[in-house]
């Protein structure tokens, strides 16, 4: 039986598999070469194993994402590590105006397998320019898919599918999640079970075996642990049964695996680390309202980060981002409010 | 100065009459949107076209009709694209500024194509040594940071990249003196990139100057910045020229068209009429075509491809 893996190790293995499977795949990024191995050590060992494919670059986000687009145009594939997801803004033109538009703007489909890997989110004390969750800025761009790592989805399968789709994608990777354990064998923890349902890449459902939930929590992978902690607390302290749904692909939104459970529970909370306003969560809520109109007991509730930068001091940062306490509080209000 | 060959003169005149026809079509209300003509800059496109190989990647910009016509001699495909008629190069989706055919691609954001060109150059260096990527930019494009990120990478990695700069002295409405500090030569030197200045706009002489440095790029010497001194005779877009009439008159006085007319005499007149008529026929024929209908994306076309060898130029040439 394979040893337990942390999420960063699982991602490292997924990258190694992808590079070994496809000699035309490149991995580009700043400070990703050994012995440093990347700011979060996700690429450790890869430049040693795949020196022709793994290229360390200058501090040039627009340049290297453009370079990736050129490689893709020429029939190669490219994964770019953006050291901190905040810096993806520097490559926004290349992502939105070149990579995504090129798929269709020439009147026929142009494959553009370019993946931006974006370490994202707070709770690490890095401060306002190194902690933001930018997912919403990439939602709704034609031909651009948005994914987020989760501890429930097989990382190798996820990466393989993203590359095979032939369209540009942004893969968000929560920085706290890196050190979390990948779940396996259907066990989310000692109480909750999980399965992954629906079309690839699927939605992970984290739930109790025989208890119908009063509320469904929908969250991306980076929030999943905080949501699970809230669910334990709700169960043990308030006897509220909840179920967590974690899609690996955020956009385009596919909530078909969520609809049945959400309709039966009648209450849905969507949690995200983004600030409010034009968010992925709002997209989820809109979809649920449209699909489940008349079946929901109350409007879908959104829980976001506060309308604020992410402060550096740990106590200030905690207060700004959704935490297990605020998630549990929101569910309690929905169930008893 | 030597007389241009028939082939070069034909291409120069094709581009001149094509661009003039576009302005006429706009004036007549028969074109939508915008278009940026390369009137006056035709020799750069024609000179480079013969130095580029069909396996070279070529990245054009918003002012790219000349580059396309010099490479493909396809005025009908380009005009249909610009007019949104059937048979356009990109089914009417891309229009004037977004063309893709084989290894030729244009896009409309300043500087954006240079890193992309560097990416194709990396691919070529690894898999097709001897081939290069050429990105056409203007003097105004040097305001964009992406140019420098790409140039830095290209020198560091000795990529076969040619940055072909058409320095026409004006960026939309802004004179170069108001938007470019220092010189393009100085900027290339700062990166350790090879640099060539081409003051001539006689096609054969231009090729003589560029051929050697271009061959060194093919041999793996690293990137080349080649700066062409050229003139923009027309407006930036449609009819938006704010330059004083005397300045435009001075530019026209040095234009290749009257110069070649004087130099080549009857031969010029004959080829000029030939290309003028050709473009008029293309305009009439394309105007009569039905509107473009891009193919709807089929589920099959959107399914993942597991063939890493698949690339657009192969799709296009298939």
């Amino acid at each position: 039986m394979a040893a337990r893996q942390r999420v960063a190790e699982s991602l490292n293995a997924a990258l190694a598999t992808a590079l070994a499977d496809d000699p035309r795949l490149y991995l580009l990024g700043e400070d990703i070469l050994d012995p440093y191995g990347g700011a979060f050590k996700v690429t450790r060992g890869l430049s040693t194993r795949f020196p022709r494919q793994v290229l360390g670059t200058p501090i040039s986000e627009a340049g290297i994402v453009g370079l990736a687009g050129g490689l893709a145009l020429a029939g190669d594939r490219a994964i770019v590590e953006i050291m901190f997801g905040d810096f993806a803004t520097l490559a926004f033109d290349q992502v939105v105006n070149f990579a995504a538009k090129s798929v269709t703007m020439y009147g026929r489909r142009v494959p553009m397998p370019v993946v931006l890997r974006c370490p994202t989110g707070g709770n690490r004390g890095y401060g306002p320019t190194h902690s933001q969750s930018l997912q919403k800025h990439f939602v709704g761009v034609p031909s651009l898919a948005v994914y987020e790592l989760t501890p429930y989805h097989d990382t190798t399968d996820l990466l393989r599918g993203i590359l095979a789709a032939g369209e540009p994608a942004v893969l968000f990777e929560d920085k706290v999640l890196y050190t979390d354990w990948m779940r396996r064998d259907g066990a989310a923890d000692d109480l909750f079970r999980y399965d992954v349902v629906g079309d690839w890449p699927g939605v992970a459902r984290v739930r109790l075996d025989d208890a119908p939930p009063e509320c469904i929590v929908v969250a991306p992978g980076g929030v999943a642990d905080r949501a699970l902690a809230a669910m334990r607390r709700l169960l043990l302290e308030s006897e509220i049964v909840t179920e967590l749904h974690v899609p690996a692909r955020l956009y385009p939104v596919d909530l078909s695996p969520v609809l049945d459970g959400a309709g039966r529970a009648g209450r849905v909370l969507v949690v995200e680390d983004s600030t409010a306003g034009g968010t992925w969560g709002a997209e989820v809520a809109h979809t649920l309202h449209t699909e489940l109109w008349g079946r929901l007991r109350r409007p879908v509730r959104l829980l976001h980060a506060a309308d604020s930068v992410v402060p550096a001091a740990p106590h200030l940062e905690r207060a700004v981002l959704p935490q297990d306490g605020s998630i549990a509080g929101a569910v309690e209000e929905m169930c008893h409010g | 100065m030597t007389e241009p060959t028939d082939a070069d003169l034909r291409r120069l005149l094709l581009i001149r009459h094509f661009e003039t026809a576009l302005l006429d079509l706009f004036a007549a209300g028969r074109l939508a949107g915008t278009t940026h003509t390369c009137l006056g800059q035709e020799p750069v496109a024609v000179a480079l076209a013969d130095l580029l190989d069909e396996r070279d990647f070529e990245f054009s910009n918003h002012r790219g009709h000349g580059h396309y016509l010099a490479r493909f001699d396809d005025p009908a495909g380009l005009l249909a694209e610009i007019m949104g008629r059937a048979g356009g190069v990109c089914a009417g989706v891309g229009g004037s500024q977004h063309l893709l055919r084989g290894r030729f691609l244009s896009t409309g954001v300043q500087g954006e194509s240079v890193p992309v060109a560097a990416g194709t150059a990396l691919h070529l260096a690894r898999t097709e040594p001897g081939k290069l990527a050429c990105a056409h930019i203007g003097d105004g494009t040097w305001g964009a940071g992406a140019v420098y990120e790409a140039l830095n990478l290209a020198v560091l990695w000795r990529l076969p990249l040619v940055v072909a700069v058409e320095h026409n002295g004006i960026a939309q409405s802004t004179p170069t003196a108001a938007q470019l500090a220092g010189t393009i030569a100085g900027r290339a030197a700062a990166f350790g990139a090879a640099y060539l200045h081409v003051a001539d706009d006689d096609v054969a002489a231009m090729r003589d100057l560029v051929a050697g440095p271009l061959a060194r790029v093919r041999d793996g010497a690293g990137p080349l910045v080649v700066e062409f001194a050229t003139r923009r005779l027309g407006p930036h877009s449609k009819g938006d020229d704010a330059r004083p009439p005397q300045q435009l008159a001075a530019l026209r006085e040095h234009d290749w068209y009257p110069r070649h007319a004087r130099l080549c005499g009857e031969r010029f007149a004959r080829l000029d009429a030939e290309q003028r008529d050709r473009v008029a026929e293309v305009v009439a024929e394309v105007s009569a075509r039905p509107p473009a209908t891009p193919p709807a994306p089929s589920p099959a076309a959107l399914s993942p491809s597991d063939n890493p060898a698949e690339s657009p130029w192969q799709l296009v040439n298939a």
Side-chain angles (χ1 to χ4, degrees), chain A residues 67-77 98 102 106 110-114, chain B residues 57-59 100 102-105 116-117 119-120 123 310-314:
Chain A
L67 194 96
L71 287 167
L73 193 66
D76 296 326
R77 298 173 188 199
F98 185 76
S102 290
Y106 296 107
V110 175
M112 193 52 62
V114 172
Chain B
F57 276 93
E58 185 174 4
F59 292 85
L100 174 64
R103 290 186 168 189
F104 179 100
L105 179 144
V116 178
T120 60
H123 170 87
E310 185 180 88
S311 68
W313 66 268
Q314 286 167 322

Side-chain angles (χ1 to χ4, degrees), chain A residues 176-223:
Chain A
V176 173
L177 191 65
Y178 280 148
T179 53
D180 185 21
W181 296 107
M182 287 300 294
R183 305 309 202 281
R184 56 185 190 180
D185 306 326
D189 64 6
D190 56 339
L191 284 175
F192 287 86
R193 308 286 302 167
Y194 79 91
D195 57 4
V196 177
V197 294
D199 292 339
W200 183 91
V203 174
R205 294 184 305 187
V206 182
R207 54 188 180 167
L208 298 171
D209 270 342
D210 294 319
E214 294 178 60
C215 180
I216 302 288
V217 178
V218 183
V223 180

Side-chain angles (χ1 to χ4, degrees), chain A residues 24 26 52 56 58 60-63 66-67 70-71 73-77 93-94 97-98 104-111 164, chain B residues 89-90 94 98-100 105-106 112 115-116 119-120 123 126 149 152-153 157 301-302 304-306 308-312 316:
Chain A
R24 299 183 74 164
Y26 286 84
R52 205 192 64 86
S60 301
E61 281 77 11
L67 194 96
L71 287 167
L73 193 66
D76 296 326
R77 298 173 188 199
D93 172 60
Q94 289 291 347
N97 284 324
F98 185 76
T104 59
M105 77 170 164
Y106 296 107
R108 57 198 175 275
R109 184 180 149 79
V110 175
Chain B
V89 188
C90 295
H98 314 97
L99 305 171
L100 174 64
L105 179 144
S106 69
E112 182 186 77
V116 178
T120 60
H123 170 87
R126 293 279 181 86
E149 298 194 3
N152 185 46
L153 274 163
W157 296 354
L302 288 172
S305 163
D306 284 319
E310 185 180 88
S311 68
V316 172

Side-chain angles (χ1 to χ4, degrees), chain B residues 74-118:
Chain B
D74 174 31
L78 179 58
L79 184 64
E81 183 60 30
I82 295 168
M83 295 187 78
R85 302 300 169 119
V89 188
C90 295
V93 182
S96 166
Q97 304 184 71
H98 314 97
L99 305 171
L100 174 64
R101 178 169 168 182
R103 290 186 168 189
F104 179 100
L105 179 144
S106 69
T107 187
V109 179
Q110 290 295 312
E112 182 186 77
S113 69
V114 188
V116 178

Side-chain angles (χ1 to χ4, degrees), chain B:
Chain B
M1 172 175 182
T2 54
E3 284 199 20
T5 64
D6 279 5
D8 284 339
L9 200 46
R10 279 199 169 95
R11 275 192 288 185
L12 288 168
L13 290 164
L14 169 68
I15 299 168
R16 174 61 54 99
H17 290 303
F18 186 92
E19 298 289 55
T20 306
L22 287 187
L23 292 179
D24 292 345
L25 286 166
F26 260 113
R30 292 168 62 193
L31 280 190
T34 188
T35 201
H36 310 99
T37 63
C38 65
L39 293 166
Q41 302 177 205
E42 298 94 338
V44 177
V46 174
L48 279 174
D50 271 14
L51 297 175
L52 296 178
D53 181 289
E54 67 170 358
R55 308 286 292 182
D56 292 334
F57 276 93
E58 185 174 4
F59 292 85
S60 181
N61 56 4
H62 62 296
R63 204 175 300 289
H65 305 157
H67 307 140
Y68 179 84
L69 292 172
R71 182 158 173 150
F72 295 113
D73 189 38
D74 174 31
L78 179 58
L79 184 64
E81 183 60 30
I82 295 168
M83 295 187 78
R85 302 300 169 119
V89 188
C90 295
V93 182
S96 166
Q97 304 184 71
H98 314 97
L99 305 171
L100 174 64
R101 178 169 168 182
R103 290 186 168 189
F104 179 100
L105 179 144
S106 69
T107 187
V109 179
Q110 290 295 312
E112 182 186 77
S113 69
V114 188
V116 178
T120 60
L122 175 59
H123 170 87
L124 293 172
R126 293 279 181 86
T127 60
E128 299 173 54
K131 304 305 172 195
L132 58 78
C134 174
H136 299 277
I137 66 173
D139 48 296
T141 318
W142 290 85
V147 175
Y148 304 92
E149 298 194 3
L151 201 54
N152 185 46
L153 274 163
V155 174
L156 284 170
W157 296 354
R158 294 171 71 96
L159 299 180
L161 173 70
V162 175
V163 180
V165 188
E166 296 180 31
H167 188 154
N168 60 16
I170 186 162
Q172 188 148 340
S173 72
T174 308
T176 303
Q179 60 88 9
L180 186 86
T183 62
I184 292 167
R187 294 177 187 208
F191 288 89
Y195 169 85
L196 175 70
H197 188 263
V198 179
D200 212 320
D201 72 350
D202 172 50
V203 167
M206 294 164 82
R207 284 194 197 119
D208 284 346
L209 283 169
V210 177
L214 209 69
R216 286 194 282 282
V217 175
R218 296 189 188 283
D219 289 343
L224 165 72
V225 175
V226 52
E227 177 181 357
F228 296 95
T230 186
R231 305 170 190 86
R232 195 189 87 197
L233 299 182
H236 164 70
S237 157
K238 297 183 279 186
D240 64 355
D241 212 326
R243 290 174 290 182
Q246 57 272 33
Q247 187 185 347
L248 293 173
L251 289 175
R252 275 196 291 271
E253 197 184 317
H254 294 98
D255 180 30
W256 62 267
Y257 183 93
R259 199 174 70 232
H260 285 20
R262 289 191 297 272
L263 186 69
C264 307
E266 182 279 330
R267 190 168 66 95
F268 182 92
R270 177 169 49 83
L271 296 178
D272 188 43
E274 172 194 292
Q275 293 304 311
R276 189 191 306 270
D277 292 349
R278 182 186 181 200
V279 168
E281 280 171 31
V282 166
V283 169
E285 189 270 316
V286 169
S287 300
R289 293 186 191 181
T293 49
S298 66
L302 288 172
S303 68
S305 163
D306 284 319
N307 176 13
E310 185 180 88
S311 68
W313 66 268
Q314 286 167 322
L315 296 179
V316 172
N317 294 343

